[in-house]
Amino acid sequence: MTSNDNTGGRLRIRIVPLDPSLHDRKSFRCGKDTVDRYLRTTAARATRYYRAATFVLASVNHPTEILGYYTLAPHEYRDAELDLATARTLKVRGLQRIPLLLLGQLGIARANQGRGLAKPLLWNALERAFSTAANSGAVAVITDPADDRATAFYARYGFATLHEAPFHRMLLPMKTIAAAFAQR
Ligand SMILES: CC(C)(COP(=O)(O)OP(=O)(O)OC[C@H]1O[C@@H](n2cnc3c(N)ncnc32)[C@H](O)[C@@H]1OP(=O)(O)O)[C@@H](O)C(=O)NCCC(=O)NCCS
């Protein structure tokens, strides 16, 4: 995969499953402590026990340096947890257990932000979510933006606010993701 680097160059990148024996998790800094800390302290263990999957963006030339990463994990709502309008949109009214995928973390290393790397990273996450949904079901991808900047970033790709309290959660229906891939 080649990313059109906004700084003018072309960077050959790969997005691969986290390999704790290869990828340098300690040096990653994206500007959000929670996102950095998850990679340092939790990602490897969560991967080992299949609680969540972590995928790492690295350049082909420096495969150990993490330029960005994201995590995906299964999630579930009970019928009553979802408001009626969203349940209607997702066609899950009356469904006792509503399968979702949580985009738990997403970050680009600070020195590499603004180079257009977040787009292929998010696109890869949505592609993987779509494949998971096609194989085992998931009606939407949800994510919890850390701040207004992250909210604006996700909104740009079609995520809409599901609720703002007790924390901010955004949602992108799988049907929307499917339609985006169909247009490619
Ligand atoms: C949010 C984040 C991943 C964006 O990374 P980035 O490298 O700045 O983004 P890119 O340069 O790849 O930009 C991708 C696209 O999103 C847009 N974008 C980036 N940040 C944006 C923002 N805050 N608001 C609106 N759009 C934004 C860019 O304009 C670009 O659009 P384009 O391709 O049409 O030009 C990065 O700032 C980051 O890691 N932040 C810290 C962690 C974080 O907040 N994660 C979010 C979830 S917790």
Side-chain angles (χ1 to χ4, degrees):
M1 187 187 290
T2 306
S3 170
N4 281 322
D5 187 331
N6 289 346
T7 60
R10 280 170 79 81
L11 189 66
R12 288 178 62 223
I13 57 168
R14 285 213 180 100
I15 300 171
V16 295
L18 173 69
D19 177 351
S21 66
L22 171 73
H23 296 123
D24 173 15
R25 286 164 290 144
K26 288 204 185 92
S27 307
F28 184 80
R29 301 281 182 279
C30 73
K32 277 274 164 295
D33 274 355
T34 50
V35 180
D36 297 348
R37 201 175 327 117
Y38 181 91
L39 186 60
R40 229 173 28 243
T41 64
T42 312
R45 178 172 266 265
T47 299
R48 192 175 332 132
Y49 296 110
Y50 302 101
R51 293 200 298 256
T54 296
F55 298 91
V56 163
L57 184 154
S59 87
V60 170
N61 292 338
H62 301 284
T64 61
E65 184 190 352
I66 298 176
L67 302 182
Y69 88 95
Y70 69 83
T71 67
L72 281 175
H75 198 80
E76 187 180 271
Y77 277 151
R78 297 299 166 110
D79 183 28
E81 288 177 284
L82 210 57
D83 66 275
L84 199 58
T86 308
R88 278 204 183 112
T89 302
L90 298 176
K91 304 274 187 280
V92 293
R93 274 186 74 197
L95 200 66
Q96 291 287 308
R97 292 160 173 261
I98 301 161
L100 302 144
L101 280 168
L102 174 68
L103 180 59
Q105 315 283 341
L106 186 143
I108 294 289
R110 208 160 204 173
N112 289 278
Q113 287 177 14
R115 297 177 73 185
L117 295 178
K119 196 172 174 177
L121 188 64
L122 179 63
W123 198 258
N124 187 271
L126 298 181
E127 206 162 13
R128 210 175 290 279
F130 178 60
S131 164
T132 304
N135 281 296
S136 58
V139 297
V141 173
I142 51 172
T143 195
D144 302 337
D147 55 24
D148 289 350
R149 246 185 105 216
T151 302
F153 170 75
Y154 286 122
R156 188 180 176 90
Y157 294 101
F159 283 82
T161 292
L162 185 60
H163 56 71
E164 289 195 274
F167 56 90
H168 194 168
R169 172 152 287 173
M170 300 178 87
L171 179 144
L172 183 62
M174 201 58 72
K175 279 279 187 197
T176 307
I177 298 171
F181 287 128
Q183 277 175 17
R184 274 176 102 189

